[in-house]
Amino acid sequence: MQRDCYSAFLIMNVKSNLKEIDRELCFKEFDNFKMLHDKEILRLQSSEYRAKVVWEYKMK
């Protein structure tokens, strides 16, 4: 998992005082976050998506 994605996850789970991470909430939410992350990675790696990105790049 990229550092930026993990940082976003931690920010999502900050306590209301905005000064500390809610570790319990992190433990509760991480599996779902990781599953969605992995699903998105697979989508981005799909040949259809990659072909679209290459085509759009060549059109610039």
Side-chain angles (χ1 to χ4, degrees):
M1 177 177 296
Q2 289 185 335
R3 182 187 61 209
D4 293 347
C5 288
Y6 187 67
S7 294
F9 171 77
L10 293 176
I11 291 168
M12 275 177 32
N13 294 290
V14 71
K15 290 185 178 183
S16 59
N17 66 14
L18 303 179
K19 294 184 179 187
E20 54 191 331
I21 303 298
D22 186 334
R23 289 192 65 207
E24 289 182 31
L25 188 57
C26 286
F27 287 122
K28 179 182 172 191
E29 298 293 332
F30 185 77
D31 289 339
N32 186 55
F33 182 82
K34 178 74 165 74
M35 183 267 307
L36 292 171
H37 168 275
D38 293 347
K39 185 176 178 181
E40 181 64 10
I41 294 299
L42 290 174
R43 185 186 73 80
L44 294 172
Q45 290 173 339
S46 74
S47 59
E48 180 179 316
Y49 178 82
R50 289 174 58 185
K52 181 181 175 187
V53 169
V54 168
W55 175 256
E56 289 175 356
Y57 178 76
K58 288 182 178 180
M59 296 301 292
K60 289 182 179 180

